[in-house]
Structure formats: C-alpha cells, structure tokens
Amino acid sequence: MKLASLTFSGGIHPPYRKGMAQSHEIRPCSDPETVTILLRQHIGAPCEPLVKVGDEVKVGQKIGDTEAFVSAPIHSSVSGKVSKIMEVDSPDGTSSNAVVIKSDGLFEISEEVKPKGDIDNLSSKEIIDIVREAGITGQGGASFPTHIKLVPPKDKEVDIVILNGAECEPYLTADHRLMLEKSEDIIYGLKAIMKAVGVNKGYIGIEDNKMDAIDSMREAAKNESNIEIVALETKYPQGDEKRIIDAITKRRVPSGGLPMDVGVVVNNVGTAYAISVAIKTGMPLIERIVTVTGGALEQPSNFMVRIGTPFSSLIEDCGGYKGEVEKLVMGGPMMGMAQFTDSVPVVKGTSGVLALSKAEAALPEQKQCIRCAKCVEVCPVKLEPVLMNQNIMHERFDELEKLNIWSCIECGACSFVCPSKISLVHSFKYAKKELAKRKSN
C-alpha cells in the first residue's frame, strides 16, 4: 500500500508545465564574452568592489566584500580584465553597482581556490567560515546569506535540518535535475550543514511528481541512518519553508517567527550542493543551475550558468525565441519577477528564466468580488484575502494590521483561484509598501 505524501493545509494545483525542460540534462551555457557581476546579489548589505578598472582577475577570485554581518562576498566567474565598475539594472527591478569583466576565454582559476578538506575533519566554525567566504546564498530564489542560517542564536535550540527539494513553482526543473545528477553531493552538503548547526537529524522533502528524484536521493542516502527522504504532496506553495516545516515535522512557525523558533533550519538542495562544491574543491559560488523554458522558446533546457551571464545568452542557447514573447520572468510564474529586457545578468538567485507566449501570460479581465471565499480556503497562511483587499480599496490601512497582512507570503494562490481574477497579490504588495512608508514618517 502506498503511503500518503505529507503536506500542509490550503494551497492550489496550478498547471505545472514542467515537461518542457525536466527531461533535459544540465549542460553548460555558452561561455560569455563579458560578465556583469552585481555587487548586491543577496538580502543584506551590498558589497564594495575589491578590484578596479584595468585589473586582471581569475575564476573564483573575490572581487567584492563588506564587513556587514548580513551579506555575502562576490567572486569572479571568468578570468579576464575588469572593464567597468558601474551601476546597472538588476533583475529584481532595482539597480546595483556591478563589476563588468571582459573574459579572456582561458578561465584560469585563482590561487585562492583550494580544497578545504573533509567534513569529518572540519569543525563547525570552519564549515561556517567556508560557506561565508564562498559567498553562498539561498539557491531557492530568496538569496539569504547561508552562513547566517548556520549560526542560530544561543536561545534557539535547533534539532532538525530540512533540505527543500519541493520545487513547487510551475515550469522550473533545476532542482529536479540537480537531485538526479548530483545526489551524492547534495547529501554531502546536508551533512556539512548538520555538522555546522550541531544537529543529528536531517530531512529532504521532495514533491511526489518527482519520484525519480526521490529514488535517486534515497539511494544516495541509504547508508545515512539520520537522513530521511520524505515524499511531499505535489501542491503549491509546498516549497515555502514554513509550509515544508509543517508538512514534515508538524511544527508551526508562529506569525512573524523564523524556522529556528521551532528548532528547524531550512536550506535549498542547490544550497547544499554549493556547500559541497566549496568544501571539496574550494570553488566559491560562481555558477548555478538555471531552467530556461516557456512556450516562446525553441528548445527549453537546464543550464549550468556562470554568474553575470546575460539572459540573452541563455535564450540563444535555447535556439532563440519562437514567435512573440508576451512576458519574460526571472524565477517561476507564481512568485517570479517580470523583466523589461533580456540583457540583465544572471545572479545567485536566478533559478529560472521564463519566456512566456501570449497564451501562457494572458491576463483575464478583472471583475467584481463575489465573496465566494475561495481565496480564504486556499491561503496557506490562513489569512482572509477578501477582507484584506476590501480594506485596501477603502484605504483602511489600520485594519490591515489586525488582519495580519505582514504574514502574507505573496505566493499568489489567492489570485490564482479567484473566479473574478482580482490581482490580490499586487494589492497586498502595494499595501505593505504603503504601511511601511507610513510607519517611517
């Protein structure tokens, strides 16, 4: 008898459309002639450049850093000459200083890049220092500096580490391919995280639409008695860290709280892989796996991409556009960020690049709310989107605090299920910005 997959309350089942890319093995993207490496690719303080125009750099060389605690160093993904240090558009819709490097095509590796030993012989502090110096950030898209997660406050008793392999966003298959092709490295990275945090129990949660990945990871973990591979129900937003904690441990993170408040640290499977690479080879985070897909592309694929490569290069490697592109998105269609150009560079948080056709991206006409409460039914945080939106429309912002709007994770489940096609998430994002502005005045 097949055991039921674990899950959380609420959520939706959007069209997943993963078939376009999931069978394509990870392959290297074409080597870029020039990379534009942003000095802010993470939550927290931006880095200051450690190089100047005209400097020669090598692969893995640190080119940006800061003394701020919440930050992560930046490294060169190519060897060549620094041609510019300038402000550029970031795929998150802001702007950032960037180091522009013209590649010499040699990809000479920096002398700084050396294997760090084995986790059995590394202390917790040494692992944390390696993660920090490698500039590793969350690979699921949030880009939170990983070393900070590995140092919970002394008053937080963490006893579980969870690796998130759910990849619940439609279209995206980068984590799926990673778990198939690099399963042993993921287990190694998980063991490093567990040692760094000082816990003896690890889980890897994977949605049950990826049974081949579940089998692959179970095979890789067969000799690890303290690591369990857990099948999760295929449901969005299963990959949200609080939802995956709920599904696997039944612990509920309080509103406004963090996973460590219930004794859990969550990282993406891609983050664990990056940690494994940093320890085994000494190579910092200078490349990542990116799913490039969508109905407006000739040949969707999964690529290993050097940080700083323009989106346009990935599009070319997919055979170019097929017909008219209605929308270009970084990330998945539910929580990703629309782009105004394909010249923006890949950053550490670029899990996917979607080129959507008119049929895929068409926005239906919004109608008046019929108070059906379907949005309430599917909200994974148990909020009341219908009441929140009504208060926003009438500018009753004080009421929004009472309705706990800050707990909204902006997953888009409410907007998806709404029969009137009201852009609820856009409304909530606007309200949060307005509330923050009023509080700062």
Side-chain angles (χ1 to χ4, degrees), residues 17-29:
R17 295 173 177 167
K18 292 177 181 281
M20 287 185 278
Q22 69 182 5
S23 64
H24 294 276
E25 294 183 1
I26 302 164
R27 60 189 176 99
C29 175

Side-chain angles (χ1 to χ4, degrees), residues 69-133:
F69 179 61
V70 183
S71 189
I74 304 293
H75 302 79
S76 179
S77 58
V78 298
S79 59
K81 182 178 288 188
V82 177
S83 60
K84 298 176 184 175
I85 298 177
M86 59 186 290
E87 188 170 312
V88 300
D89 292 318
S90 170
D92 69 1
T94 64
S95 61
S96 169
N97 278 337
V99 177
V100 181
I101 304 168
K102 183 172 178 56
S103 174
D104 58 15
L106 301 176
F107 300 99
E108 187 177 355
I109 296 175
S110 169
E111 294 78 8
E112 301 170 8
V113 178
K114 297 177 182 177
K116 306 301 182 184
D118 187 85
I119 52 176
D120 291 335
N121 301 317
L122 293 170
S123 68
S124 171
K125 183 180 185 307
E126 286 172 328
I127 293 172
I128 294 166
D129 289 344
I130 290 167
V131 171
R132 197 272 173 194
E133 284 303 303

Side-chain angles (χ1 to χ4, degrees), residues 41 142 335:
Q41 299 187 40
M335 295 184 73

Side-chain angles (χ1 to χ4, degrees), residues 202-274:
Y203 294 93
I204 303 178
I206 308 170
E207 284 192 325
D208 58 12
N209 62 350
K210 309 174 187 66
M211 289 306 301
D212 52 353
I214 291 173
D215 291 341
S216 177
M217 293 307 307
R218 283 178 175 164
E219 176 64 22
K222 64 182 180 183
N223 296 322
E224 308 295 340
S225 59
N226 57 348
I227 294 176
E228 185 176 343
I229 313 302
V230 180
L232 304 172
E233 181 183 329
T234 300
K235 182 169 65 170
Y236 179 85
Q238 188 74 259
D240 174 72
E241 65 178 9
K242 293 181 181 180
R243 268 19 81 188
I244 204 169
I245 291 170
D246 183 359
I248 293 175
T249 71
K250 300 307 176 188
R251 300 177 186 180
R252 302 289 174 86
V253 180
S255 177
L258 297 171
M260 61 182 64
D261 292 329
V262 294
V264 183
V265 166
V266 182
N267 281 283
N268 181 264
V269 290
T271 308
Y273 173 70

Side-chain angles (χ1 to χ4, degrees), residues 49-67:
L50 302 178
V51 292
K52 60 184 185 299
V53 173
D55 283 357
E56 298 282 349
V57 297
K58 297 179 181 179
V59 177
Q61 179 179 331
K62 190 191 293 187
I63 60 173
D65 204 350
T66 175
E67 293 183 0

